[in-house]
Amino acid sequence: MLARITIALFLLSACEDRDAECEGVDCTSPNMIDQWERDPDAAQQAILAMADPVTQLAAVRALAMHHPEDLAGLCPELSGDTKRECTQMSQRPHLWKKPEALKSEGQKLDSLTSDAVASPPTAFDPVETDCADNSCRLTAASEAGAQGSGPGICASITETSWRDECFFRVGEQAADLALGVTVCLNAGPYVERCLGHISRNLATPPIALDSAVGWETLQASVQRVTQVLPAPLSEQMADRIWAESLTASYNASAAVTGDPLDHLPASARPHILAAAAWRLSKLETHRGLEAWMSALDAALARRGATHNPQGRPGVITRGWLKSLPGEDALPWVAYLRDQRRVQGQSDEAERIICLLEAMLRSSTRDELLLEDASRHPDQAVRWTVARLTGRYAQLDRLNTILQQDADPLVVQRASVRRTR
């Protein structure tokens, strides 16, 4: 009895901050968010004590929109349909964030962009179910799969966030790659995430660097995926798959070799160079551009290395975080996984840029490498130096040199560093 009185007073105190005429679900949900932010433990007990399942579900949905990361601790304590829906939302909390939070997340530079996709090329006819709620429909669609009625069940969902999540989940789990990416295109603002999960699945487990069969199989997968995607997303997806798979494979190798060069098309070379340089920076230490270039070229000339299929790259430091004015015109390519790097105008420039990006993500800093690269004739190389120099507070002398560069984009990056 005392517990019930405490919870009643808890909810009553919340309503004191609201309109006196606020009643029922419309009042309880926003008030519950206020109380969750003040005292989450007490708010959780209040949610669990709600006798009306409609009111309880409304509170859980409101919590998902404001604090989706907190659902995991609440869901196991619930029961019935409310528990099922809570569990669905807690599995991917980023999907239930408020629109402004999603907009902020979307500002980061990714290796995939869906802006050019005005509408999905394939529309699925709605398939009705016996479900009474969207959580049930999501479960039914996942069980039916992309080759069954899954996409149609997703199309029958009218609530946008649940429909997008449904296409996301069915698409990423599809055994048929071409069908999977087609379903992903219906996932609204989560198209990039959905395609990215497909890319990650293809990179796991990692392919041995010298596996001709493994690379041939992956190349066939790339072709199947790109045939059903619109440009420029098709090219970006191919790059993303090459980048992610090669990063995983080089990470799983005991030494850096050039084996993939013997098995992959020229379009994969930028990603071979990037992954090889990244892995080399973790295994070896050199000083200056000439020494690093010699080490990378020697590694790419080697063949055969021990493979560890259980190896995983883990978290990779982000580099190019946002574009400054004029930088949207710079040619770029996927880097390592879901990042970007600029592309050089020659193979030499490409190798240097990959070494520079790798240094940013290594445990050591080679100032001589930065200085040597700052004098290179390729603008993309010097721009990369200017961008990386901004990460290091002690490189004022080099930054001053970059501010006198002939290219305005290089100067801009150096100037931004100076004003920080």
Side-chain angles (χ1 to χ4, degrees):
M1 177 63 72
L2 179 60
R4 292 181 180 177
I5 294 174
T6 301
I7 292 170
L9 290 174
F10 177 84
L11 292 174
L12 180 60
S13 66
C15 285
E16 291 176 353
D17 296 334
R18 299 276 178 179
D19 190 332
E21 297 181 358
C22 180
E23 295 180 355
V25 172
D26 291 339
C27 177
T28 301
S29 297
N31 285 334
M32 185 56 65
I33 299 306
D34 286 348
Q35 292 302 317
W36 189 278
E37 293 171 351
R38 299 175 190 174
D39 189 343
D41 291 335
Q44 176 166 321
Q45 292 304 312
I47 293 176
L48 296 176
M50 291 177 177
D52 180 10
V54 175
T55 303
Q56 186 183 58
L57 183 56
V60 171
R61 287 173 175 171
L63 182 62
M65 292 298 293
H66 291 79
H67 300 286
E69 67 282 353
D70 293 340
L71 291 175
L74 172 64
C75 297
E77 305 299 324
L78 298 168
S79 61
D81 294 342
T82 304
K83 179 177 182 178
R84 185 188 63 216
E85 182 163 331
C86 182
T87 301
Q88 296 274 25
M89 293 188 291
S90 70
Q91 290 174 348
R92 298 230 274 248
H94 61 271
L95 296 175
W96 314 100
K97 289 182 179 179
K98 292 182 290 185
E100 54 268 27
L102 287 173
K103 182 178 180 180
S104 177
E105 282 189 359
Q107 292 175 350
K108 74 174 184 178
L109 294 180
D110 199 290
S111 58
L112 295 173
T113 60
S114 63
D115 296 343
V117 184
S119 61
T122 300
F124 297 95
D125 295 329
V127 174
E128 298 301 329
T129 66
D130 294 332
C131 292
D133 58 70
N134 291 327
S135 175
C136 174
R137 294 185 184 93
L138 177 57
T139 300
S142 297
E143 292 176 350
Q147 291 177 288
S149 58
I153 296 174
C154 293
S156 72
I157 299 176
T158 58
E159 190 172 341
T160 302
S161 58
W162 284 95
R163 184 175 63 250
D164 293 342
E165 159 64 352
C166 187
F167 280 119
F168 187 166
R169 192 169 299 189
V170 172
E172 70 170 345
Q173 296 172 349
D176 184 323
L177 287 175
L179 180 57
V181 296
T182 300
V183 174
C184 281
L185 292 179
N186 291 266
Y190 311 118
V191 171
E192 295 96 328
R193 290 179 186 265
C194 188
L195 294 176
H197 284 200
I198 290 178
S199 174
R200 182 185 62 190
N201 293 340
L202 289 173
T204 309
I207 300 169
L209 293 181
D210 60 354
S211 174
V213 174
W215 293 122
E216 181 180 357
T217 301
L218 183 64
Q219 187 169 352
S221 296
V222 170
Q223 291 175 345
R224 285 199 299 274
V225 167
T226 54
Q227 286 175 353
V228 297
L229 287 175
L233 194 55
S234 59
E235 293 83 357
Q236 292 176 6
M237 185 60 175
D239 281 338
R240 171 67 174 264
I241 295 173
W242 290 131
E244 191 150 19
S245 296
L246 284 158
T247 299
S249 294
Y250 271 98
N251 180 76
S253 179
V256 179
T257 72
D259 288 286
L261 293 170
D262 301 335
H263 307 294
L264 295 179
S267 58
R269 182 175 176 82
H271 311 291
I272 296 173
L273 296 179
W278 171 74
R279 182 61 172 156
L280 189 70
S281 71
K282 293 180 175 295
L283 298 176
E284 300 181 14
T285 301
H286 301 281
R287 180 169 166 75
L289 178 58
E290 183 178 352
W292 275 110
M293 288 285 277
S294 296
L296 178 59
D297 290 344
L300 293 175
R302 292 194 293 263
R303 296 293 182 270
T306 303
H307 176 67
N308 174 20
Q310 304 303 318
R312 298 292 182 271
V315 178
I316 300 176
T317 301
R318 298 197 70 84
W320 189 1
L321 300 178
K322 65 178 182 179
S323 288
L324 299 181
E327 292 179 350
D328 289 337
L330 291 173
W332 60 271
V333 68
Y335 179 70
L336 298 186
R337 184 182 289 156
D338 60 345
Q339 302 184 39
R340 300 182 187 183
R341 69 169 178 85
V342 293
Q343 286 189 287
Q345 296 181 357
S346 66
D347 192 72
E348 178 186 83
E350 279 282 87
R351 303 203 307 281
I352 297 173
I353 291 171
C354 290
L355 287 168
L356 291 168
E357 294 286 1
M359 187 203 70
L360 172 66
R361 295 159 179 84
S362 69
S363 58
T364 59
R365 184 182 76 212
D366 185 356
E367 295 182 14
L368 183 57
L369 170 61
L370 288 169
E371 292 183 12
D372 291 344
S374 70
R375 294 187 287 270
H376 196 273
D378 193 304
Q379 177 256 13
V381 172
R382 303 195 310 278
W383 179 88
T384 301
V385 173
R387 203 198 81 233
L388 299 186
T389 302
R391 295 293 188 98
Y392 306 118
Q394 292 77 29
L395 298 180
D396 287 334
R397 186 180 66 82
L398 176 57
N399 191 68
T400 299
I401 295 175
L402 292 168
Q403 288 177 357
Q404 300 172 2
D405 194 274
D407 188 277
L409 295 183
V410 176
V411 174
Q412 177 180 233
R413 276 288 171 177
S415 299
V416 168
R417 159 67 180 84
R418 186 174 187 180
T419 58
R420 285 178 180 172

